[in-house]
Amino acid sequence: MSGYEAGFLDVALGLPAAQQPVIQLDYTHFSVLLDPARRLAAATAVNIAGAELVDLARGNTWRLDKRIAEDQQAGPGLYSRNSLDRGHLVRRRDPVWGDDAKQANADSFTYTNAAPQAAEFNQGKELWVGLEDHVLEYANANQLRVSVFTGPVFRADDAVYRGIRIPRLFWKIAAWTVDIGEKPELRSAGFVLDQSPLLADIDLRQLTSGNPPPLGPFRCFQVPVERIAELTGLAIEQLMDADRYQPTPTAQPVGPHADWRELASRDDIVL
């Protein structure tokens, strides 16, 4: 399995560096940095060759990664008989390109690439799963090559369910290059998905592990990449320097931070 390639774009771009111990797991065209303490990925990274994407049937055969112990990954027991979705971190179709498309499709259904998410499909979720398509369309002049990094935000007060702390926030950073002058220039854009319950009086820390925590409708934000670094502790300086989103006082953003901009449609995205 080739895994994520740092030299995939015209500018070398390596994997994020995590503060906590992680296990790097390489799959076809993507890699997972697994946090064995949380039993979920701290970060994922995928190379997308938009011009080579292959349209394959979805399938739905999830499996554990046999290279690591079962107690280091959140498996089928977390998702059975409840309302939780196995949300792809690396979107299923993103690594499905080239001669290895079939293997990439199967690899995306490994539990290390899943995270518990609200099952209900709503506008915010539709925006989230379509972000890569929007960036690919924007990057059309650059051979449709994009690298995308995705993961959950781990918090100490995340509710425990069946031995797993359920993240409420997820982040995504898309990266591409443009030709500026004599050499290509890296560009990036950062996003956060919030599935926190909208009821402010719910104390997640007091919930028992017998029932899944309440999850709210997906809300999607564009945020400075620097904020993602602060939320996750990941070392992503190169992506921070390449950020295309520069919030202004007139943007009237909403969210947990003054510079988070809630997205209602693709037209709100700054690239």
Side-chain angles (χ1 to χ4, degrees):
M1 299 181 185
S2 61
Y4 170 83
E5 295 182 19
F8 181 74
L9 302 177
D10 292 329
V11 174
L13 180 60
L15 290 167
Q19 292 181 341
Q20 74 271 39
V22 294
I23 301 170
Q24 181 174 334
L25 299 166
D26 292 331
Y27 302 94
T28 307
H29 303 316
F30 72 96
S31 296
V32 169
L33 299 181
L34 181 74
D35 182 336
R38 290 290 300 249
R39 298 173 64 184
L40 298 169
T44 65
V46 59
N47 303 127
I48 310 172
E52 302 177 52
L53 288 171
V54 178
D55 187 14
L56 295 179
R58 173 183 170 85
N60 197 30
T61 305
W62 287 88
R63 67 180 188 279
L64 295 167
D65 191 318
K66 295 182 179 180
R67 294 174 293 181
I68 57 174
E70 289 189 16
D71 61 4
Q72 292 182 319
Q73 51 192 316
L78 176 61
Y79 303 95
S80 65
R81 301 183 304 279
N82 56 39
S83 60
L84 295 178
D85 260 359
R86 292 167 292 198
H88 278 78
L89 293 174
V90 170
R91 191 177 60 157
R92 180 194 70 86
R93 69 183 296 266
D94 286 351
V96 181
W97 54 268
D99 295 336
D100 299 325
K102 186 174 181 180
Q103 183 61 53
N105 190 57
D107 287 352
S108 73
F109 284 93
T110 309
Y111 275 105
T112 52
N113 185 42
Q117 294 183 345
E120 183 179 356
F121 196 91
N122 53 48
Q123 183 181 13
K125 192 168 186 176
E126 185 175 6
L127 267 173
W128 182 253
V129 298
L131 282 173
E132 287 94 331
D133 289 336
H134 184 73
V135 177
L136 280 168
E137 292 169 6
Y138 181 84
N140 183 56
N142 296 280
Q143 299 181 334
L144 285 167
R145 288 199 162 215
V146 175
S147 292
V148 177
F149 308 88
T150 309
V153 175
F154 294 144
R155 290 178 166 176
D157 65 348
D158 287 336
V160 177
Y161 175 62
R162 296 180 180 176
I164 306 293
R165 292 194 178 276
I166 308 300
R168 287 164 280 164
L169 299 178
F170 294 86
W171 59 271
K172 188 187 300 287
I173 304 171
W176 66 99
T177 57
V178 295
D179 292 327
I180 302 293
E182 297 180 357
K183 59 181 181 180
E185 181 177 296
L186 184 67
R187 299 286 178 86
S188 70
F191 306 91
V192 166
L193 179 74
D194 189 350
Q195 61 174 358
S196 301
L198 297 182
L199 299 177
D201 59 346
I202 293 179
D203 186 348
L204 295 177
R205 292 169 297 183
Q206 299 302 317
L207 295 173
T208 68
S209 59
N211 297 301
L215 300 176
F218 283 29
R219 302 174 70 199
C220 191
F221 300 85
Q222 182 163 9
V223 307
V225 173
E226 181 181 3
R227 298 290 170 259
I228 295 174
E230 293 170 355
L231 286 168
T232 63
L234 294 170
I236 50 175
E237 288 83 1
Q238 193 176 1
L239 292 166
M240 289 165 52
D241 292 341
D243 193 2
R244 297 298 296 156
Y245 176 55
Q246 301 296 328
T248 64
T250 58
Q252 296 182 337
V254 295
H257 301 279
D259 50 9
W260 288 34
R261 179 183 178 88
E262 185 166 11
L263 304 178
S265 72
R266 289 185 177 187
D267 294 336
D268 297 329
I269 298 173
V270 177
L271 297 177

